[in-house]
Amino acid sequence: MKAAQLLKYQPDFKFHVNDIEVPTIKDDEVLIRVKCAAVNPLETLIGTGAVKLISPYHLPTTLGNELSGEIVQVGQSVSNFKVGDTVYSRLSINKIGAFAEYVVTNENTIAHLPANNDLKSGAELRWH
């Protein structure tokens, strides 16, 4: 899968689109096919290294904190979501990765997408 990753901290950091493995889930996690991801000021704080003392990331790391998408796999102990559910999330600070085709997260970091919203309300990620 393709993922926008940070290779090193620097004032004028850049994303690099890399091919990486689709992540695997644990029993309490879900695999989400990302449809939309938001860019916010936290990406700048991470990319420049401003938060590395609080939340160090092992580089390279896939950036992105906010997303909407569709669940494609659920762990055995996940009880509130099923394959095909549309969800949105503000990922945990210690497990980011929304700038990718797929992301894994714990079920307690996601919510069902409200019926009056759609997956394309934000800037859609397109991997061409």
Side-chain angles (χ1 to χ4, degrees), residues 5 43 46 50 55 58 61 90 103:
Q5 296 191 304
E43 271 69 56
I46 294 169
S55 187
H58 298 286
T61 192
R90 164 54 176 91
V103 67

Side-chain angles (χ1 to χ4, degrees), residues 62-84:
T62 303
L63 294 174
N65 293 274
E66 301 170 9
L67 67 98
S68 64
E70 180 181 343
I71 294 178
V72 295
Q73 186 179 11
V74 297
Q76 292 180 5
S77 65
V78 172
S79 58
N80 296 315
F81 299 92
K82 65 184 183 317
V83 171

Side-chain angles (χ1 to χ4, degrees), residues 14-105:
K14 298 182 179 31
F15 297 136
H16 298 267
V17 177
N18 295 321
D19 286 313
I20 63 172
E21 296 292 320
V22 174
T24 57
I25 64 171
K26 297 178 184 171
D27 285 347
D28 62 345
E29 295 178 325
V30 298
L31 179 65
I32 300 170
R33 179 182 298 118
V34 177
K35 296 296 184 175
C36 296
V39 178
N40 66 47
L42 188 52
E43 271 69 56
T44 299
L45 294 173
I46 294 169
T48 61
V51 297
K52 68 182 175 184
L53 291 177
I54 299 166
S55 187
Y57 295 97
H58 298 286
L59 301 178
T61 192
T62 303
L63 294 174
N65 293 274
E66 301 170 9
L67 67 98
S68 64
E70 180 181 343
I71 294 178
V72 295
Q73 186 179 11
V74 297
Q76 292 180 5
S77 65
V78 172
S79 58
N80 296 315
F81 299 92
K82 65 184 183 317
V83 171
D85 284 350
T86 53
V87 296
Y88 68 105
S89 178
R90 164 54 176 91
L91 298 170
S92 170
I93 191 75
N94 60 358
K95 195 166 184 179
I96 61 175
F99 297 168
E101 292 179 281
Y102 295 90
V103 67
V104 167
T105 191

